[in-house]
């Protein structure tokens, strides 16, 4: 699995995950939408830690800089 998530993209995803965690912790959003948002936040955090995004792979996107040989 090649990495396709760059540094700025990782930072943005982590910030989004933290904001979502706060929204859920403060119970600003509850019910089904809270569960959906929680799953989305977990996916954002996981893809930032792994460095791979399946949706990027489907659409051919890559924010990770290429390594020069």
């Amino acid at each position: 699995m090649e990495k396709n998530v760059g540094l700025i993209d990782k930072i943005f995803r982590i910030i989004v995950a933290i904001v979502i965690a706060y929204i859920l912790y403060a119970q600003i959003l509850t019910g089904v939408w809270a569960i959906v948002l929680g799953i989305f936040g977990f996916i954002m955090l996981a893809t930032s830690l792994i460095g791979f995004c399946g949706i990027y792979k489907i659409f051919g996107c890559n924010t990770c800089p290429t390594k020069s040989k």
Side-chain angles (χ1 to χ4, degrees):
M1 197 167 38
E2 78 181 53
K3 297 187 183 287
N4 62 0
V5 177
L7 179 63
I8 294 178
D9 198 4
K10 285 181 182 183
I11 293 170
F12 175 74
R13 289 170 184 257
I14 290 171
I15 291 170
V16 169
I18 290 170
V19 169
I20 290 172
Y22 173 76
I23 289 170
L24 297 178
Y25 179 75
Q27 294 183 349
I28 295 170
L29 190 63
T30 59
V32 175
W33 288 111
I35 295 170
V36 171
L37 191 63
I39 292 170
F40 179 74
F42 176 77
I43 291 170
M44 294 293 276
L45 183 62
T47 56
S48 68
L49 295 176
I50 295 170
F52 177 79
C53 179
I55 294 175
Y56 277 12
K57 183 75 171 179
I58 291 170
F59 290 111
C61 296
N62 188 353
T63 60
C64 189
T66 58
K67 295 180 182 176
S68 60
K69 293 183 179 180

